[in-house]
Amino acid sequence: MPIATVNPATGWTELTFEPLGAEEIEERLRRAAAAFDRYRTTGFADRADLLRRAADLLDEDTPDIALTMTSEMGKPVKAARAEAAKCAKTMRWYAEHAEALLADERPDDGDVRDSGASRAYVRYRPLGAVLAVMPWNFPLWQVVRFAAPALMAGNVGLLKHASNVPQTALYLEDLFLRAGFDEGCFQTLLVGSGAIEGILRDPRVAAATLTGSEGAGRSVAAIAGDEIKKTVLELGGSDPFVVMPSADVDAAARTAVTARTQNAGQSCIAAKRFVVHADVYDAFLERFAAGMRELTVGDPTDDATDVGPLASEQGRADLEELVDDAVRRGATAVCGGGRPKDLERGFYYEPTVLTGITPEMRIHQEETFGPVATVYRVADLEEAVSVANDTSFGLSSNAWTTDPAEQERFVRDLRAGGVYFNGMTASHPAFPFGGVKRSGYGRELSGHGIKEFCNATTVWHGA
């Protein structure tokens, strides 16, 4: 895949980039190792000052970098501005909280004495250079939610970004340099996927984090496992959105529209499968489909646009295959189901609601990365839990109910990394983020995320 900006709204290639050669990769690995030797000894206060400066610069740059993201992957510009703001917020959050999150842990005094020590504690120390293999769908956020905690912990970063967002990738390296981080603390590697193995196997790379497809996760995890290097994987998702009779159906339907179509539906944590109790099924479906029809699809640089194009022609083709397979096997497109007739150029797809989904349809098990929702009718709580869990993924989940007993049941039985009640899944720096099953392992954000790439070191002093 070429490293290029292909505008999804037009299909035109705007810029292309030459991938780094072997000598250039070697130089960047050398810089990373040298930078880590210096940076790992800096204090939290110095790191926090640098990260706050990066956040301030990002605030200033937001109008321009938002347009860059829009031109590279089609995100509506108002959503791109919101993404940049979220990144700045997360940088400031880690600048404020990292020292406390990584403070020395003191065991119980009795356990210390029992071990024969006069004192003992656990200290969190950085690992080194961490390779981040990142996707295009949230081209700033996916990187910053790794970079902010990693840098505050004293690690350095090597970014292999998706090949269709090279300008955003280069911007991130420049941002950290302008903020005052040493050369080598955060570097962008413009390379194809074929270069990842050699970089990950290099002894100067300590660990890796990947957000992306299940196939990419398998590949990186296998290489890292062979090298005995730590990995964190955030892979696909097919999140359920369960609606029970006690729910506010109007609010649930309104939220469902946003939950399914944010970023044109190209989000791992977007709700994708809507599991609705029979008592409220008809009312929910009517309101949900009406809301999907009302969305404005079009020019992503226009603030009035709700849904922009998909990021690539191949992505749209993959989505069309899933929908066509479902309809051919008996599903009904309540709304949408094809390309907008008034948008001849670009990679657009209509917001779509499908009913009558059965297990033999591909869309029942595969992730839909676009504005397509599947709606299931269920008879009771037992069936709701069963359908919600009937997926190989387990990233997050949503449940609409005001019944405390039902809420406890969902917390107990939904197999996912998060359970969100009467709202939609959203990430926040204070809460851990990640999945189970084929959605990956490890956690990003919060104290759990910052400790993923740390050496939990036992320090023991004899009596």
Side-chain angles (χ1 to χ4, degrees):
M1 181 178 183
I3 300 174
T5 297
V6 179
N7 192 321
T10 63
W12 297 338
T13 300
E14 297 184 349
L15 280 173
T16 58
F17 297 80
E18 285 296 318
L20 298 177
E23 292 183 2
E24 294 168 309
I25 293 172
E26 167 61 26
E27 174 59 20
R28 281 158 177 76
L29 290 170
R30 185 200 64 76
R31 284 182 200 161
F36 177 64
D37 279 344
R38 299 188 301 270
Y39 185 66
R40 66 185 178 84
T41 62
T42 59
F44 285 107
D46 290 337
R47 296 173 198 167
D49 286 344
L50 292 169
L51 202 58
R52 289 191 185 97
R53 175 59 180 155
D56 292 343
L57 290 171
L58 179 54
D59 284 340
E60 296 171 10
D61 296 342
T62 288
D64 291 333
I65 189 58
L67 286 171
T68 298
M69 286 191 281
T70 296
S71 71
E72 290 203 302
M73 54 72 57
K75 185 187 302 290
V77 70
K78 62 184 178 183
R81 290 193 293 264
E83 181 174 337
K86 185 175 184 177
C87 290
K89 172 183 176 179
T90 298
M91 290 178 183
R92 294 186 177 103
W93 191 89
Y94 272 107
E96 178 180 353
H97 294 285
E99 184 171 10
L101 294 171
L102 296 179
D104 291 348
E105 292 182 8
R106 306 287 175 177
D108 180 81
D109 288 343
D111 289 331
V112 172
R113 289 192 298 271
D114 187 58
S115 76
S118 60
R119 62 190 180 100
Y121 55 92
V122 177
R123 177 159 296 174
Y124 290 94
R125 298 186 294 160
L127 292 181
V130 181
L131 174 64
V133 183
M134 293 288 112
W136 47 262
N137 54 339
F138 292 92
L140 275 185
W141 170 241
Q142 302 280 10
V143 178
V144 167
R145 76 182 189 190
F146 145 74
L151 289 168
M152 282 304 302
N155 295 300
V156 300
L158 293 165
L159 170 63
K160 190 289 180 213
H161 218 326
S163 293
N164 60 332
V165 289
Q167 294 182 78
T168 306
L170 291 170
Y171 166 79
L172 284 158
E173 177 178 312
D174 181 65
L175 173 68
F176 289 115
L177 281 172
R178 286 187 289 132
F181 285 91
D182 280 356
E183 182 183 53
C185 279
F186 186 93
Q187 298 178 87
T188 287
L189 307 178
L190 289 186
V191 295
S193 58
I196 293 174
E197 179 170 358
I199 294 168
L200 183 51
R201 289 190 184 278
D202 191 283
R204 290 164 293 190
V205 174
T209 179
L210 178 141
T211 299
S213 69
E214 183 182 338
R218 288 178 183 275
S219 176
V220 165
I223 296 165
D226 190 49
E227 294 291 337
I228 316 179
K229 294 182 179 181
K230 174 70 179 288
T231 53
V232 170
L233 302 181
E234 193 261 278
L235 308 178
S238 190
D239 292 2
F241 187 106
V242 182
V243 184
M244 299 298 289
S246 65
D248 180 333
V249 175
D250 286 337
R254 287 194 304 271
T255 303
V257 171
T258 303
R260 177 65 287 235
T261 62
Q262 60 174 331
N263 205 39
Q266 300 167 121
S267 171
C268 296
I269 58 168
K272 299 183 175 79
R273 297 175 300 120
F274 296 82
V275 182
V276 187
H277 192 284
D279 290 354
V280 291
Y281 178 89
D282 290 338
F284 174 85
L285 180 60
E286 178 185 1
R287 291 163 175 77
F288 181 40
M292 294 284 273
R293 291 188 192 99
E294 290 170 1
L295 294 170
T296 299
V297 181
D299 181 1
T301 65
D302 186 341
D303 274 352
T305 294
D306 299 308
V307 179
L310 299 186
S312 68
E313 189 170 16
Q314 184 60 54
R316 182 174 64 179
D318 292 343
L319 188 67
E320 288 174 328
E321 284 186 12
L322 290 178
V323 173
D324 292 348
D325 172 78
V327 172
R328 187 169 59 251
R329 294 175 184 270
T332 298
V334 178
C335 65
R339 303 180 183 187
K341 294 180 175 56
D342 58 339
L343 294 168
E344 296 181 1
R345 289 188 298 150
F347 312 134
Y348 293 94
Y349 197 84
E350 295 173 315
T352 299
V353 175
L354 299 177
T355 59
I357 305 301
T358 56
E360 67 269 14
M361 298 174 186
R362 289 176 54 197
I363 205 166
H364 179 71
Q365 288 293 345
E366 297 181 33
E367 181 179 19
T368 50
F369 225 56
V372 175
T374 54
V375 185
Y376 297 78
R377 183 197 299 263
V378 294
D380 52 28
L381 176 62
E382 297 296 328
E383 189 178 6
V385 171
S386 177
V387 173
N389 284 334
D390 189 20
T391 173
S392 60
F393 298 108
L395 193 53
S396 189
S397 61
N398 312 261
W400 284 71
T401 174
T402 58
D403 183 323
E406 288 181 349
Q407 291 178 351
E408 283 301 312
R409 177 70 187 280
F410 284 128
V411 171
R412 188 191 75 182
D413 289 345
L414 289 180
R415 296 195 292 272
V419 182
Y420 287 70
F421 288 110
N422 304 317
M424 58 180 275
T425 299
S427 54
H428 184 284
F431 303 111
F433 181 85
V436 295
K437 299 195 284 185
R438 292 189 178 181
S439 287
Y441 52 74
R443 291 296 181 264
E444 296 178 289
L445 302 176
S446 76
H448 296 274
I450 198 171
K451 291 174 181 175
E452 286 283 6
F453 296 115
C454 288
N455 172 6
T457 307
T458 298
V459 182
W460 187 94
H461 294 264

